[in-house]
């Protein structure tokens, strides 16, 4: 990912050549007798336009997929006993030893470590009793270091469900010169991958039951390849996997609806997680309600004394504007109209893109706290 500005500044009035102030020689004043009928006509046209627009706008809101703008009001909060049960199903040792440590290898695109991690992700997902549909989105792309093979792992609990809650992360690690110290990207993004695996395992029975009951919203997990730039970050050297997958999903049919990308009700991207004292901000107004849901869960878990090394009610999910925009794997989906909730620590961890982004510098309490917050979020969102 790359931290950036807020995009190209908008042109001021007059800079496009359409709103220039006319010169005095071009101005003509109309007599009042002629001006009144023109004003009445303009008022009538504006009134008719507003009537048509308001009817269209109301109809458009009614046609929005429920989760894309209206569904947040329908989701309740878990009672205390249920929250404790969900948190109790998480296994910190399993998350760390079974899921995280196998990911802490050099896994640049096309490398043996990348293939090893990808096969581990596929095998782990296929062992879950809920019976996930696991696909491989494999492709070859031209890069600054030559042609490389990439592969996204796409796991969908119930492919026949109308809508998807999609959680995503990237599993590749950044390429550094061969003489550099090994870079295993613990926060970037081994921990996010391990979190998704632990969530799927901890909620395995509930997810299996939801699938058997044909719930209208299902869980989807994306493990994306090629997020990192291979030379220098740019539109053609970054986000290889997410660009390919978003383009594929845009045209791939989805049986209950038009396309697979339109089935995504909410796209939650996890990145740069696991360092101590992370702070998250709401990046997009349309998904602010879900950000506030996470903030509420953090508060509730704190009050129940279910978070470790967490002295204040709200430490992670901060109010206000983010420090800046971030280019990450959500961009190809965002550009296609998918609602995005971006869970990335900003400012970035101090170990970002250094060999110090390793297991030794992770903060276990923070990792486990985030797993608990996300588990409750999934249980509430999916009604588990």
């Amino acid at each position: 990912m790359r931290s950036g500005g807020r995009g190209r500044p908008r042109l001021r009035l007059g800079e496009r050549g359409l709103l220039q102030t006319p010169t005095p020689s071009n101005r003509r004043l109309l007599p009042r007798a002629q001006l009144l009928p023109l004003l009445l006509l303009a008022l009538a046209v504006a009134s008719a336009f507003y009537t048509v627009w308001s009817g269209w706008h109301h109809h458009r809101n009614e046609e929005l997929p429920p989760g894309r703008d209206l569904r947040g009001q329908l989701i309740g909060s878990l009672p205390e006993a249920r929250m404790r049960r969900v948190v109790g199903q998480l296994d910190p040792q399993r998350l760390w030893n079974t899921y995280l440590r196998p990911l802490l290898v050099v896994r640049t695109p096309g490398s043996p470590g990348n293939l090893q991690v990808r096969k581990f992700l596929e095998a782990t997902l296929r062992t879950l009793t809920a019976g996930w549909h696991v696909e491989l989105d494999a492709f070859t792309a031209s890069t600054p270091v030559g042609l490389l093979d990439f592969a996204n792992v796409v796991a969908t609990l119930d492919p026949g469900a109308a809508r998807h809650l999609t959680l995503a992360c990237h599993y590749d690690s950044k390429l550094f010169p061969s003489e550099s110290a090994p870079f295993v990207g613990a926060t970037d993004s081994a921990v996010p991958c391990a979190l998704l695996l632990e969530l799927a395992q901890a909620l395995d029975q509930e997810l299996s039951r939801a699938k058997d009951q044909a719930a209208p919203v299902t869980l989807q997990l994306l493990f994306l390849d090629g997020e990192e730039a291979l030379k220098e970050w740019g539109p053609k050297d970054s986000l290889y996997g997410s660009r390919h997958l978003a383009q594929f999903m845009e045209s791939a049919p989805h049986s209950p609806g038009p396309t697979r990308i339109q089935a995504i009700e909410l796209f939650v991207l996890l990145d740069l997680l696991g360092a101590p004292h992370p702070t998250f901000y709401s990046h997009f107004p349309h998904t602010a309600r879900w950000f506030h849901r996470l903030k509420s869960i953090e508060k509730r878990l704190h009050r129940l004394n279910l978070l470790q090394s967490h002295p204040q009610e709200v430490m992670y999910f901060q109010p206000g504007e983010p420090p800046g925009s971030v280019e990450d794997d959500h961009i190809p989906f965002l550009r296609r109209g998918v609602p995005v909730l971006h869970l990335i620590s900003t400012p970035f961890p101090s170990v970002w893109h250094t060999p110090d982004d390793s297991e030794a510098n992770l903060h276990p309490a923070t990792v486990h706290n985030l797993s608990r917050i996300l588990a409750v979020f999934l249980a509430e969102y999916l009604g588990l």
Side-chain angles (χ1 to χ4, degrees):
M1 79 301 307
R2 184 179 72 172
S3 179
R6 298 185 180 276
R8 186 178 300 169
R10 293 184 179 179
L11 296 177
R12 296 186 297 272
L13 293 181
E15 290 184 348
R16 303 183 189 212
L18 300 177
L19 298 173
Q20 303 290 346
T21 304
T23 61
S25 61
N26 290 335
R27 293 184 179 182
R28 294 182 59 188
L29 300 178
L30 292 174
R32 290 185 179 180
Q34 297 179 26
L35 187 59
L36 183 59
L38 289 175
L39 288 173
L40 292 173
L41 177 62
L43 183 61
V45 170
S47 177
F49 175 80
Y50 176 78
T51 301
V52 171
W53 177 86
S54 61
W56 170 83
H57 185 70
H58 177 70
H59 181 65
R60 181 175 178 268
N61 280 342
E62 289 182 339
E63 290 186 338
L64 283 172
R68 292 216 165 175
D69 230 13
L70 305 174
R71 188 167 180 265
Q73 302 173 3
L74 305 177
I75 295 177
S77 299
L78 292 183
E80 177 183 337
R82 181 70 184 123
M83 286 184 72
R84 291 185 180 277
R85 196 176 311 124
V86 166
V87 168
Q89 292 171 206
L90 294 162
D91 185 339
Q93 296 303 316
R94 179 177 60 204
L95 188 162
W96 207 272
N97 297 323
T98 304
Y99 296 142
L100 176 59
R101 283 189 169 144
L103 305 175
L104 294 173
V105 297
V106 175
R107 50 191 188 280
T108 54
S111 69
N114 183 279
L115 177 61
Q116 172 186 321
V117 166
R118 188 248 290 171
K119 288 185 174 181
F120 171 75
L121 294 171
E122 290 183 274
T124 300
L125 292 163
R126 289 195 169 100
T127 62
L128 298 170
T129 59
W132 290 72
H133 180 68
V134 182
E135 305 168 87
L136 197 64
D137 173 38
F139 62 99
T140 302
S142 176
T143 79
V145 297
L147 289 176
L148 282 179
D149 294 329
F150 298 87
N152 300 311
V153 179
V154 180
T156 309
L157 179 64
D158 180 7
R163 303 186 300 279
H164 299 157
L165 168 62
T166 300
L167 271 58
C169 59
H170 74 91
Y171 72 89
D172 62 302
S173 62
K174 183 168 177 58
L175 177 66
F176 284 93
S178 56
E179 64 272 15
S180 300
F183 176 77
V184 299
T187 69
D188 189 16
S189 260
V191 166
C193 291
L195 283 169
L196 296 195
L197 295 177
E198 174 60 23
L199 290 168
Q201 177 63 73
L203 299 173
D204 194 29
Q205 291 185 2
E206 289 85 350
L207 290 169
S208 180
R209 195 157 48 241
K211 179 182 176 182
D212 292 342
Q213 294 171 354
V217 183
T218 198
L219 185 59
Q220 182 177 68
L221 306 177
L222 306 182
F223 298 87
L224 303 167
D225 196 3
E227 185 267 350
E228 300 284 7
L230 295 162
K231 284 287 188 181
E232 183 177 355
W233 187 281
K236 294 184 179 179
D237 186 18
S238 64
L239 312 182
Y240 291 93
S242 55
R243 285 190 283 124
H244 186 271
L245 185 60
Q247 183 178 26
F248 166 74
M249 285 184 162
E250 186 177 29
S251 58
H254 180 58
S255 54
T259 64
R260 291 179 65 170
I261 206 163
Q262 288 175 303
I264 299 176
E265 191 171 271
L266 179 65
F267 184 96
V268 184
L269 178 62
L270 281 61
D271 203 354
L272 300 186
L273 305 181
H277 313 301
T279 51
F280 308 103
Y281 294 85
S282 177
H283 290 264
F284 305 106
H286 288 163
T287 57
R289 64 171 61 86
W290 301 118
F291 180 86
H292 293 303
R293 168 78 60 157
L294 289 165
K295 183 177 180 179
S296 168
I297 293 169
E298 181 185 4
K299 282 184 179 181
R300 285 182 274 148
L301 289 173
H302 174 89
R303 291 169 184 170
L304 294 174
N305 200 30
L306 292 175
L307 298 178
Q308 306 168 2
S309 302
H310 194 272
Q312 301 171 3
E313 273 196 346
V314 174
M315 293 180 60
Y316 305 148
F317 300 93
Q318 298 294 319
E321 293 288 318
S325 62
V326 181
E327 296 179 25
D328 206 345
D329 276 319
H330 65 288
I331 294 293
F333 293 86
L334 184 70
R335 288 175 175 164
R336 290 166 171 84
V338 176
V340 169
L341 180 60
H342 195 189
L343 298 185
I344 183 169
S345 180
T346 48
F348 292 176
S350 61
V351 298
W352 178 64
H353 283 184
T354 73
D356 290 331
D357 190 3
S358 63
E359 180 181 3
N361 291 312
L362 293 174
H363 190 243
T366 296
V367 174
H368 300 316
N369 287 346
L370 292 176
S371 73
R372 292 165 186 177
I373 293 169
L374 290 168
V376 173
F377 179 81
L378 291 186
E380 291 186 348
Y381 193 105
L382 297 171
L384 301 178

